[in-house]
Amino acid sequence: MGYIAHFREKDGAEQSLSTHLIETAEIARNNGQSIGIPTLCYLAGILHDSGKYTQKFQSYLLKAKAGEEVKRGSVDHSTYGGKLIRSQKPHTKYELMAMEMIANAIFAHHRSGGLLDFLSGEAAPTSPFIERYLREDLPEFDQVKKRFYREIMPEEKLQLILVQAGQELETLAKARGRITRTDQFYLLKVVYSALLDGDRRNTQLFEMNEPYQEIDRTELFRTLSQRLEATFASFKTGPDTVINRLRQEMADACLVASQRPTGIYSLSIPTGGGKTLSSMRFALNHALAQGKKRIIYIIPYSSIIEQNAAVFRRELADVNREIILEHHANLVQDEETWSEENEKKQALMQDTWDNPIIVTTMVRFLENIYGGSTRNPRRIHQLLDSVLIFDEIQSIPPKCLSMFTSLINFLKDYGKTTTLMCTATQPTLAKRKLPLQLSADAEIVPNLENTNRAFERVKVIDHRRKEGWCAADLSSFAEELLTKERNLLMILNTKKAVREVYQCLKESDRVVYHLSTAMTPAHRNQVLEEMRKGLKAQKPLVCVTTPLIEAGVDISFSCVIRSISGLDSIAQAAGRCNRNGESSTPQPVYLVNPVKELENIDKMPEIKTKAAITELLLNDRNFLKNDTSLLDLQLMAQFFDGYYEQVEKTGESEYLFNGGAQRLFDLVQKNENRKLFYRNSKKMEVPTFLVSSSSTIAKHFKVIDQQGESVLVEYGEGEELVSELSSSADVVLNKAWYQKAQQNSLNLFRHEFDQLVQEGMIRLTAEGVYVLINQGYDQEFGLNIQGDSLLSYGF
C-alpha cells in the first residue's frame, strides 16, 4: 500500500509519506546550513513523521479524509522517529548528543509545551525525555522500522548519516575548544526550529501546490540599499546646520562600519540624531558585504512598531507590504493537541519571519527562544546569518540579562549573526557577570562625547519637592508653564497617574491628549498623528502619557515634565523636547516626584530601583558642582554601573521562579542542582548526555510578569476586522488582515484578561482569536476594565 502524510483540502490529493519526509529533510538541512549542522537537521527532518507508517495512523488519516469523526491527537506518531534514532549505535559523545537533540525535536514537533526536559526542572527527580526515549511498548515499531528502511533509506545509510551529524558537532567543538552546556541548549533549539519550519513549510507548499524555492536576497538588499542612499543624498540638500552635519557624519560612519566583520557593535547616536535610518543603512550594507539573509529590528514596546515600520516602508518603497513584516503578537491561539487540521492551519500562518525585514518587540524576540508552543520556536533559525538591530537596548528587563547576553554571544559565535545595540543611553552590558562580547572598537559613532554635547538641546531641572506632587499640583504647574511655552509633554510612570492628571487638565480649556499602553497601536498612532499636526501648526496643546512615548517616537515639544525615573528614561524624555532645535536656547525638562497616592511604583521594581539610583546622583552635589549635565555620558555610565550592581546584588538580575528558590538560567546551563537532585534521589547518574530543562523554562518564562493574552479590539478599524473574522474562517491566514489585526490588538496582563472574561467583555472566536467587545474599550483611555465605555452608548 502507499503510505500518505497529508491530504489536500481543496481537491483531496494525497501527499505520500516518503515525499513529505524527504522534502521536509531538505528544507531542514538548508535551515541548519548557516550554523554548520545541516546533516543533523536533515536527520531530524527525515525521521520526524516516521510514526505515520503505522497502520493505525493511516486508518486515522483516511477516516479524517472521508469526513468521519476522529479524536484529535488520539494517534501518537511523534515518538517513533526518536525511537528510530535511538536504535542506532553512537560511537562518540557527539553522535550521542546528536541523537538526543534529534529525538527531542521529533518528540516535541507537535507538542504545545515545546521541547521536553532532559531533567525535570522542578518537583520530582524525573527525565520526561528519557521516559519517552526508552519507551518499549510502542505499537507497530518493528513494522515502522522496516517500512522506513525500505522506503526512505537502509539502516546502514542512517548509521552513516548519524556519523556525519556527530562530526558536524565535533567540528564546532574543535573550532571553539568545546561546546558548552549553554551552547548545547541553543543548538538543540536550532535543530527544533529547523525541523518545525521544514515540516510546516512542506505542508504549506503541498496545500498550496507550490514548489520549494530557496531565496537569494542579494539583489533585493542591493535595491533597498540604493533606495535608502537616495534618501541620504536628499538630506545633504537640507539646511547646513551643526546638527544636520553631525547627523550626516553619523550616518556616513554607519556606512563605513557596515564593512566590518560579523560581530556585536554599539550605535550610540544621540536622541534625534537619525538612529532609525542610520541603523538600517548599516544593516542593509552589512547584509550585502557579509551575505546576511535577513534584518530583524527589535524594539522595546509594541507601541512604536507601526511607526518604525512606516518609516522603513516609506524609504524602502515597500508599497505592497511584502518586504517588511510587523510582528506585534500571536493573535491566533495554539491548539493544545495535534491534529491534521491544526497542522495545516499552523503551516499557513503568516508570522513565520520569512520576510527580509522583520520589525518586532523584545518580548516576541525572547519568547521565540524561551517560550513554549510550536509557533514561537519555528522562527529561531531565522536569527542565523542575520543582522539584529536592538533599538533602545537599555530597556531590556534586568531578569532577562543573562539569558539575553548568552543568546547574543551564541548567535555571534555559532550563527554568523551580527548584532547592533542602538540607543543614546548605552547600558554597560560588557561589564556584567555574564559579559556581552562586544567587538573590538565596537562603538560606531566617532567623537561620541563631542557629538553628544552638540546634541544637547535641553536643560534638565530638578524640580522635586519635599511634599511631592499631587495631580492638581501637576495640572496647575502645567498651566503655569503654558503661559510661557507653546506646548507641553508630561510623562508619568503609571497609567493611573496619567489618567488622573489628564482628567484634571481636561477641566481647563486646553487641548489635551492622552496616551498609554491601554490603547491599541492603531489608536495611539491616530492620536500621535493628530498631535503632530497640531504641533506643526504651533497650536497650544498638552500631552499626558506613560513612558511609551520615550521609545523612539519622533515628536517634539517645547517643554517636558518627567516624573522621577531612571537617568536613561530621563534622557529619552529629553529627546522629545526641542528635538529638532526649534529653539536656539536649551528648553526645560522638569523632574518631579509625584506623591505615592498618585503614582505608586512599589510593584514596578525596575523603575523603582532606577529612580533610586537617579535620586542618589541628583543628591550628590559633586556631580553637579561644575554644572555637569545630567545627560553627560560618563554620568550615564555611572548610573548604569550603579543600577546593575544593585540588581545583581539583590538578585533582580536573575530570572527567579518557585518563590525565588531557583534560577531559570541554571536550567539552560549545567543544571547542577537538578543533576544532583536526580543523582541523590535515584541513586544513579543522569541517563542522558544533555541536561537542559526546556519545558520548565517555557512554562515559567515571561518577559513581562503576569502577561496574559493578545486580544483583537472591536474599536475603529478593529470593528471591520472582527466582522471579516466572523464572515470567513480563513481570514486569519490572510497576511494583510493579520497585519491590520495586530495593529488593532492589545496585550493584556493576566489579571486584566481574567477579569474581562469574567465580565463577558472577551469572547473566543472559532478561529482561535480573542476579541475584546466595544463596551470594554474607551475612545479616550483605551482598555476599560469597568466595561462602561462611552462607545457602548454610541457616542
Side-chain angles (χ1 to χ4, degrees):
M1 65 169 287
Y3 297 93
I4 63 173
H6 305 106
F7 61 87
R8 191 157 46 223
E9 291 286 349
K10 60 184 177 184
D11 59 9
E14 296 176 351
Q15 182 187 35
S16 73
L17 181 51
S18 59
T19 297
H20 176 58
L21 291 176
I22 292 166
E23 292 180 352
T24 294
E26 288 299 332
I27 298 171
R29 187 207 299 271
N30 290 335
N31 290 342
Q33 195 76 48
S34 295
I35 204 167
I37 52 171
T39 309
L40 178 53
C41 294
Y42 174 88
L43 266 180
I46 204 75
L47 289 164
H48 81 286
D49 268 359
S50 54
K52 291 185 177 181
Y53 274 119
T54 64
Q55 198 64 49
K56 189 174 183 180
F57 187 86
Q58 291 298 309
S59 297
Y60 167 90
L61 207 55
L62 291 172
K63 284 180 182 178
K65 182 182 179 183
E68 295 181 38
E69 187 174 341
V70 292
K71 185 180 178 182
R72 291 183 174 189
S74 60
V75 183
D76 171 24
H77 75 276
S78 299
T79 303
Y80 291 80
K83 289 285 290 181
L84 243 174
I85 196 64
R86 185 191 165 243
S87 66
Q88 307 308 301
K89 295 178 180 178
H91 299 97
T92 68
K93 67 178 181 181
Y94 298 106
E95 289 176 29
L96 180 60
M97 191 189 308
M99 289 168 64
E100 291 181 3
M101 287 182 178
I102 290 164
N104 203 339
I106 293 172
F107 292 160
H109 81 278
H110 290 300
R111 186 174 178 270
S112 62
L115 291 162
L116 281 77
D117 286 346
F118 289 104
L119 277 176
S120 177
E122 54 188 342
T126 60
S127 173
F129 170 80
I130 280 293
E131 289 170 8
R132 196 160 176 184
Y133 198 49
L134 299 182
R135 183 180 168 190
E136 298 295 344
D137 59 336
L138 208 55
E140 299 184 65
F141 181 61
D142 289 339
Q143 291 91 327
V144 166
K145 281 201 299 184
K146 289 176 184 176
R147 291 161 189 161
F148 180 87
Y149 292 147
R150 184 178 66 246
E151 287 206 356
I152 307 301
M153 65 176 67
E155 185 171 12
E156 296 77 18
K157 185 175 181 181
L158 180 63
Q159 182 70 50
L160 181 62
I161 296 175
L162 175 60
V163 170
Q164 293 171 351
Q167 288 171 346
E168 289 175 350
L169 291 173
E170 189 171 4
T171 299
L172 293 179
K174 286 179 178 178
R176 292 159 184 80
R178 60 176 179 149
I179 299 177
T180 67
R181 289 297 192 184
T182 306
D183 297 338
Q184 291 166 20
F185 172 85
Y186 292 126
L187 284 167
L188 169 60
K189 290 283 186 176
V190 172
V191 175
Y192 186 39
S193 175
L195 169 59
L196 287 172
D197 184 66
D199 180 32
R200 306 304 194 265
R201 190 175 303 278
N202 181 251
T203 302
Q204 174 188 6
L205 292 171
F206 170 70
E207 197 68 27
M208 298 171 69
N209 201 17
E210 293 179 0
Y212 172 65
Q213 293 180 320
E214 291 186 61
I215 300 173
D216 184 348
R217 293 199 167 113
T218 304
E219 287 307 312
L220 173 63
F221 283 143
R222 184 171 286 115
T223 299
L224 297 180
S225 176
Q226 289 168 354
R227 290 173 185 170
L228 193 56
E229 287 308 306
T231 295
F232 279 106
S234 70
F235 289 162
K236 293 180 179 179
T237 62
D240 185 20
T241 65
V242 172
I243 292 296
N244 283 345
R245 285 198 298 272
L246 286 171
R247 283 173 176 160
Q248 191 64 51
E249 284 177 18
M250 290 185 288
D252 291 344
C254 285
L255 181 60
V256 172
S258 68
Q259 303 305 301
R260 295 183 188 179
T262 295
I264 303 174
Y265 301 100
S266 58
L267 180 62
S268 305
I269 290 182
T271 305
K275 170 165 52 72
T276 302
L277 289 181
S278 292
S279 64
M280 184 55 70
R281 190 184 204 188
F282 169 89
L284 284 170
N285 287 282
H286 186 72
L288 284 168
Q290 299 296 337
K292 304 303 182 191
K293 297 177 179 177
R294 182 171 290 100
I295 296 166
I296 305 175
Y297 193 94
I298 303 120
I299 60 180
Y301 312 114
S302 61
S303 55
I304 55 169
I305 281 185
E306 66 283 347
Q307 173 190 286
N308 285 310
V311 170
F312 295 143
R313 283 203 172 93
R314 183 184 69 235
E315 302 303 337
L316 303 178
D318 183 23
V319 179
N320 297 319
R321 292 177 170 255
E322 294 176 351
I323 298 170
I324 300 162
L325 171 73
E326 301 170 41
H327 185 206
H328 297 253
N330 291 335
L331 267 177
V332 180
Q333 307 306 305
D334 284 320
E335 296 278 356
E336 288 297 317
T337 56
W338 178 86
S339 71
E340 177 75 11
E341 178 187 344
N342 186 41
E343 181 172 272
K344 290 173 181 174
K345 182 178 175 182
Q346 280 199 20
L348 291 165
M349 291 303 295
Q350 301 293 329
D351 57 358
T352 54
W353 289 22
D354 285 337
N355 295 55
I357 299 175
I358 314 293
V359 184
T360 191
T361 66
M362 180 67 83
V363 170
R364 300 302 158 206
F365 174 78
L366 290 175
E367 284 187 345
N368 288 341
I369 310 296
Y370 302 109
S373 88
T374 54
R375 279 174 60 202
N376 288 332
R378 181 182 171 183
R379 307 179 188 112
I380 294 172
H381 74 281
Q382 309 284 33
L383 308 181
L384 306 175
D385 222 357
S386 296
V387 184
L388 308 181
I389 305 173
F390 288 93
D391 193 7
E392 311 300 356
I393 185 58
Q394 77 283 352
S395 301
I396 182 170
K399 67 179 182 180
C400 297
L401 273 177
S402 296
M403 301 174 90
F404 172 81
T405 301
S406 68
L407 171 62
I408 299 303
N409 290 342
F410 170 84
L411 289 172
K412 172 183 71 74
D413 291 341
Y414 286 83
K416 304 175 187 174
T417 296
T418 287
T419 297
L420 188 63
M421 304 291 182
C422 295
T423 181
T425 53
Q426 284 286 348
T428 51
L429 299 182
K431 297 164 68 175
R432 307 287 47 93
K433 285 181 179 178
L434 180 62
L436 188 68
Q437 296 169 4
L438 288 172
S439 300
D441 301 319
E443 180 53 57
I444 292 175
V445 176
N447 305 314
L448 186 55
E449 287 197 18
N450 291 337
T451 301
N452 198 63
R453 278 195 290 271
F455 265 85
E456 281 197 24
R457 301 172 296 273
V458 302
K459 176 69 175 176
V460 180
I461 301 166
D462 184 2
H463 213 60
R464 294 173 298 159
R465 59 190 197 183
K466 188 175 181 180
E467 67 276 20
W469 293 80
C470 67
D473 292 339
L474 286 172
S475 179
S476 297
F477 183 42
E479 291 284 0
E480 177 190 332
L481 291 175
L482 286 167
T483 62
K484 299 175 286 184
E485 306 293 345
R486 294 189 304 276
N487 48 66
L488 169 69
L489 173 66
M490 188 185 302
I491 306 173
L492 304 172
N493 288 319
T494 67
K495 287 183 279 190
K496 175 181 179 292
V498 166
R499 188 163 180 161
E500 287 191 26
V501 175
Y502 170 82
Q503 287 173 323
C504 283
L505 284 165
K506 280 283 284 185
E507 294 174 3
S508 68
D509 293 330
R510 300 284 179 190
V511 177
V512 188
Y513 292 94
H514 166 277
L515 283 173
S516 84
T517 51
M519 301 158 72
T520 67
H523 189 182
R524 286 194 299 265
N525 202 42
Q526 177 188 336
V527 174
L528 280 166
E529 281 307 303
E530 194 176 324
M531 275 199 296
R532 287 191 183 102
K533 289 177 183 176
L535 291 168
K536 188 175 181 180
Q538 297 195 344
K539 293 180 180 179
L541 61 87
V542 184
C543 175
V544 189
T545 176
T546 61
L548 69 87
I549 203 167
E550 295 171 352
V553 176
D554 187 6
I555 198 164
S556 182
F557 288 81
S558 300
C559 179
V560 171
I561 297 172
R562 179 61 166 97
S563 64
I564 197 73
S565 185
L567 200 58
D568 55 335
S569 293
I570 293 166
Q572 297 297 333
R576 315 310 131 191
C577 182
N578 199 22
R579 184 177 179 86
N580 302 307
E582 292 91 348
S583 170
S584 57
T585 57
Q587 289 296 102
V589 174
Y590 295 97
L591 301 184
V592 296
N593 55 327
V595 295
K596 199 166 187 176
E597 291 76 17
L598 175 64
E599 185 180 89
N600 188 347
I601 56 174
D602 285 349
K603 294 183 178 179
M604 306 168 78
E606 183 179 348
I607 292 177
K608 187 176 181 179
T609 303
K610 282 187 172 182
I613 300 295
T614 300
E615 296 210 69
L616 285 174
L617 294 176
L618 287 170
N619 296 336
D620 187 346
R621 295 303 168 190
N622 289 328
F623 288 121
L624 306 176
K625 63 183 178 182
N626 297 320
D627 199 30
T628 303
S629 167
L630 273 173
L631 306 182
D632 179 78
L633 288 178
Q634 291 184 353
L635 191 60
M636 190 65 68
Q638 184 137 3
F639 161 77
F640 276 118
D641 282 343
Y643 170 65
Y644 286 128
E645 285 168 11
Q646 177 67 17
V647 297
E648 286 174 348
K649 180 180 177 181
T650 61
E652 291 175 67
S653 64
E654 298 293 345
Y655 200 124
L656 304 177
F657 70 107
N658 278 352
Q662 290 179 263
R663 297 192 321 160
L664 213 59
F665 190 51
D666 288 343
L667 308 186
V668 172
Q669 299 178 289
K670 296 181 180 180
N671 218 354
E672 292 290 1
N673 289 339
R674 300 308 297 172
K675 281 169 65 179
L676 182 62
F677 184 51
Y678 187 97
R679 194 179 300 130
N680 290 341
S681 301
K682 297 281 190 179
K683 307 302 180 187
M684 61 181 288
E685 292 299 319
V686 175
T688 56
F689 183 85
L690 301 176
V691 296
S692 59
S693 306
S694 292
S695 187
T696 303
I697 292 170
K699 174 183 172 183
H700 290 281
F701 185 80
K702 292 286 184 186
V703 180
I704 301 171
D705 290 334
Q706 297 300 311
Q707 184 181 329
E709 301 286 353
S710 299
V711 297
L712 175 59
V713 179
E714 201 172 35
Y715 168 76
E717 186 182 36
E719 287 192 80
E720 183 180 338
L721 293 167
V722 171
S723 177
E724 291 173 1
L725 183 63
S726 302
S727 62
S728 171
D730 293 332
V731 74
V732 294
L733 307 178
N734 181 290
K735 195 173 221 174
W737 182 91
Y738 200 79
Q739 289 282 286
K740 288 179 185 176
Q742 288 189 106
Q743 293 176 25
N744 289 274
S745 66
L746 282 175
N747 297 318
L748 302 182
F749 289 109
R750 174 53 59 185
H751 69 275
E752 294 172 330
F753 179 82
D754 290 343
Q755 183 177 338
L756 288 163
V757 168
Q758 190 174 1
E759 294 174 357
M761 297 292 164
I762 289 178
R763 58 186 175 86
L764 179 63
T765 69
E767 297 75 31
V769 177
Y770 286 115
V771 172
L772 175 67
I773 63 175
N774 59 10
Q775 288 92 337
Y777 197 83
D778 188 278
Q779 58 192 352
E780 277 190 298
F781 300 113
L783 178 65
N784 179 28
I785 293 288
Q786 287 73 35
D788 56 359
S789 166
L790 290 177
L791 295 174
S792 62
Y793 300 103
F795 295 122

